Amino acid sequence: MIKSMTGFGRSKYETNSREYLVEIKSVNNRYNDVNIKMSRVISYLEEKVKKVITNSVSRGKIDIYVGMVNNSEKGKKITLNEELAKAYISELKKLSKEDISNDISIMEISKLPEVFTIRTEDDDEEIIWEEVSVCLNTAIENFIQMREVEGQKIKEDIESRVKVITEKVERISEISGGLVEEYIAKLEKRINEMLQNTVIDETRLAQEVVIYSDKCSIEEELTRFRSHISQFVELLNADAGVGKKLDFLIQEINREINTIGSKANSLEITNLVVDIKAEMENIREQVQNVE
């Protein structure tokens, strides 16, 4: 099933006094562009989060937020930088000798930068990652589900347009089959009018017909067109990301239909080609949103 590149997924998870929130949203992009924002206390998990996302999504501009509120002791190891604290005290005492109010207290010292730091133990990191993974995977499931729903709508619209195109191509095939006979009749009439009662050189007439047939024949283009359309429909039912392949096929299909329009000496075929190109442009716009 094809997926849209537009989607949103959200999940919350609470356990052992720890709360997690993951939000994922995406829009169109030619590549897989992943941007992650995380709570500072779990920022060390960014690469792991990115790996999970890139394994789940192949294309799109993806923005992810992973938040954590930790009300437990897990993931918290408070460390005192005793040497730094002493250095602060020493410098503050120098200031107190300059007639500045002496207001040095343990509480004030503890508030100074990097006196206390909170680190995460290795064992705690693994527990935190397992919990983040639960929330992350649920958000990804919701995100992909929305992409699949949007993708199904895109697929249905494209299939209806492909059906219209296929019908018009078959009509072109029918018309092109009678172009040579029509040309022969017109050519004979013109020659008769020009030569009046003179006998027509059948050999010369046959040569002209062959030249015309070769010039205006679109059988090869129609064959390739049908082949491209068949591949296109198969890709619509594929599971993997197919957006780039569909985009390439659209270029090939447009190339064939342009050639048909330029070679076929028929106003009706020209009008059908214009209709097909309009449908193909609508399909191209839809494919721009396919993963």
Side-chain angles (χ1 to χ4, degrees):
M1 176 186 295
I2 65 171
K3 302 182 186 70
S4 168
M5 279 192 283
T6 302
F8 178 79
R10 188 175 188 271
S11 176
K12 292 183 71 175
Y13 179 62
E14 297 182 18
T15 181
N16 300 320
S17 300
R18 291 182 293 280
E19 301 175 9
Y20 300 92
L21 171 66
V22 176
E23 292 183 342
I24 309 172
K25 60 181 180 180
S26 68
V27 293
N28 300 1
N29 195 281
R30 293 179 61 188
Y31 308 104
N32 196 7
D33 181 12
V34 179
N35 301 293
I36 302 174
K37 292 183 179 180
M38 304 182 68
S39 296
R40 187 179 60 82
V41 291
I42 53 172
S43 59
Y44 61 90
L45 296 174
E46 182 172 336
E47 284 304 314
K48 288 186 176 182
V49 171
K50 187 171 185 178
K51 185 176 181 181
V52 173
I53 291 294
T54 52
N55 286 339
S56 304
V57 182
S58 62
R59 195 178 178 209
K61 185 181 185 303
I62 305 158
D63 293 312
I64 306 157
Y65 171 74
V66 183
M68 174 187 179
V69 177
N70 192 354
N71 297 314
S72 74
E73 77 284 357
K74 287 293 182 183
K76 295 179 180 179
K77 181 184 178 182
I78 300 175
T79 304
L80 168 64
N81 190 333
E82 189 172 343
E83 293 301 319
L84 181 61
K86 289 178 179 179
Y88 276 128
I89 293 170
S90 175
E91 295 300 317
L92 289 170
K93 284 181 177 180
K94 290 179 184 178
L95 285 176
S96 67
K97 294 177 182 179
E98 301 293 333
D99 295 329
I100 297 176
S101 176
N102 188 349
D103 188 21
I104 303 174
S105 68
I106 293 176
M107 184 59 68
E108 293 301 321
I109 297 298
S110 69
K111 296 176 182 178
L112 294 173
E114 299 184 15
V115 172
F116 285 104
T117 57
I118 301 177
R119 293 190 173 89
T120 306
E121 296 287 352
D122 291 344
D123 291 344
D124 292 341
E125 283 186 9
E126 190 60 33
I127 293 172
I128 298 298
W129 170 239
E130 289 175 1
E131 293 172 355
V132 168
S133 295
V134 172
C135 191
L136 178 62
N137 289 329
T138 302
I140 290 174
E141 288 176 6
N142 296 335
F143 172 69
I144 291 176
Q145 184 178 18
M146 181 175 177
R147 277 187 153 202
E148 288 176 344
V149 170
E150 291 296 319
Q152 181 61 31
K153 294 178 182 178
I154 292 173
K155 179 186 174 185
E156 291 171 359
D157 180 73
I158 291 176
E159 285 178 335
S160 66
R161 296 183 186 279
V162 168
K163 182 179 179 182
V164 171
I165 288 171
T166 301
E167 292 171 354
K168 292 183 182 297
V169 166
E170 294 310 313
R171 177 58 186 154
I172 288 174
S173 181
E174 292 173 6
I175 297 170
S176 66
L179 288 180
V180 174
E181 288 76 10
E182 183 180 335
Y183 175 74
I184 293 172
K186 288 181 179 179
L187 186 60
E188 287 180 335
K189 182 179 179 180
R190 288 180 62 191
I191 292 174
N192 280 324
E193 289 174 351
M194 292 173 62
L195 300 180
Q196 295 181 350
N197 296 324
T198 305
V199 177
I200 299 175
D201 185 345
E202 295 294 339
T203 302
R204 180 58 180 166
L205 179 62
Q207 289 176 347
E208 290 293 332
V209 170
V210 169
I211 293 171
Y212 176 81
S213 298
D214 183 62
K215 182 180 178 181
C216 71
S217 175
I218 56 174
E219 285 306 313
E220 290 185 12
E221 287 77 11
L222 288 172
T223 299
R224 287 193 294 267
F225 190 99
R226 293 187 183 102
S227 175
H228 294 329
I229 286 292
S230 177
Q231 294 177 62
F232 195 91
V233 172
E234 288 179 6
L235 286 174
L236 288 177
N237 295 299
D239 293 329
V242 295
K244 291 182 179 180
K245 292 181 180 179
L246 290 172
D247 193 48
F248 171 76
L249 277 176
I250 287 174
Q251 295 178 45
E252 295 302 305
I253 291 170
N254 280 328
R255 185 176 289 111
E256 300 302 336
I257 199 61
N258 285 334
T259 304
I260 290 171
S262 63
K263 290 178 69 174
N265 188 18
S266 166
L267 179 59
E268 188 174 355
I269 288 180
T270 299
N271 291 334
L272 288 167
V273 165
V274 171
D275 292 342
I276 291 173
K277 290 177 70 173
E279 291 292 347
M280 288 304 304
E281 178 59 23
N282 289 325
I283 291 176
R284 188 193 66 79
E285 290 178 358
Q286 290 283 41
V287 167
Q288 298 308 304
N289 195 37
V290 173
E291 180 183 350

